[in-house]
Amino acid sequence: MKKVVKIILVCLVIVLIILQFFSVDQNNAEIRDVTDFEAETKPSKEVAAILEKQCYDCHTNKTVYPWYGKIAPVSMWMADHIEEGNEHFNLTEWNKYNDKKKDHKLDELIEEVEENKMPLKEYTWTHGNITEEEKESLIKWAKEARAKYKVH
């Protein structure tokens, strides 16, 4: 039995070493440009800090990776989460959305935060969770920002 466990462990180590040779594309634009988004939605300094801490890594074209973000299979897992996050809501691309889509994206943000689906639990393990006060501030700001895009 000890021999089987040892063989399994050696195989796992070998697989992990081999995985290091398969790099993933990282979300590394030169700058994190959220200028259009912030200019239009006008978050307070408090809300801008919440967005910076909890949203921008997965919802812009530039992610600040932790040291372990380059180690497979974590790098692969993170790349998948970031790609999916940007598919749903990319704040760097804000100026490409029409008013109806902007309204919808802010509505989704409100819903995801209210239902504790965002930020992802996996993200909060290393970046800290969003407090109830931060959550309320974020939702209040998003509701106010949405008013600008309501299509009548």
Side-chain angles (χ1 to χ4, degrees):
M1 187 66 169
K2 283 185 178 183
K3 189 174 184 176
V4 171
V5 171
K6 190 174 184 178
I7 290 171
I8 291 171
L9 287 175
V10 168
C11 287
L12 283 173
V13 168
I14 290 170
V15 167
L16 285 173
I17 291 170
I18 291 170
L19 281 175
Q20 302 318 304
F21 293 100
F22 297 92
S23 64
V24 295
D25 290 335
Q26 291 200 323
N27 192 33
N28 279 336
E30 280 191 37
I31 60 167
R32 179 182 280 167
D33 188 5
V34 292
T35 314
D36 293 333
F37 171 72
E38 289 185 351
E40 275 192 33
T41 61
K42 299 182 181 9
S44 65
K45 286 184 180 183
E46 175 192 10
V47 170
I50 296 166
L51 292 166
E52 174 78 29
K53 178 183 172 199
Q54 300 290 349
C55 306
Y56 289 170
D57 276 340
C58 295
H59 295 286
T60 66
N61 289 343
K62 179 163 181 65
T63 300
V64 178
Y65 289 90
W67 64 268
Y68 51 84
K70 294 183 180 177
I71 301 170
V74 175
S75 60
M76 296 169 181
W77 178 68
M78 286 177 67
D80 183 55
H81 277 263
I82 292 164
E83 183 179 330
E84 187 176 339
N86 274 322
E87 282 176 15
H88 289 286
F89 191 24
N90 186 336
L91 299 171
T92 304
E93 306 291 324
W94 186 254
N95 63 346
K96 295 180 182 177
Y97 297 162
N98 63 31
D99 285 355
K100 184 176 179 181
K101 189 168 185 175
K102 290 175 182 179
D103 176 56
H104 177 69
K105 293 300 178 184
L106 289 169
D107 185 42
E108 285 182 329
L109 181 149
I110 293 164
E111 183 180 322
E112 295 288 310
V113 172
E114 282 178 336
E115 294 177 2
N116 297 313
K117 293 180 181 176
M118 284 287 144
L120 292 175
K121 295 295 178 230
E122 300 88 342
Y123 188 80
T124 63
W125 294 339
T126 55
H127 291 84
N129 207 348
I130 189 169
T131 67
E132 281 302 313
E133 185 178 291
E134 289 173 328
K135 185 174 161 181
E136 288 172 17
S137 295
L138 192 59
I139 291 168
K140 181 178 184 248
W141 157 80
K143 286 180 178 178
E144 290 169 0
R146 263 189 88 197
K148 179 178 183 166
Y149 304 109
K150 289 278 186 193
V151 180
H152 301 288

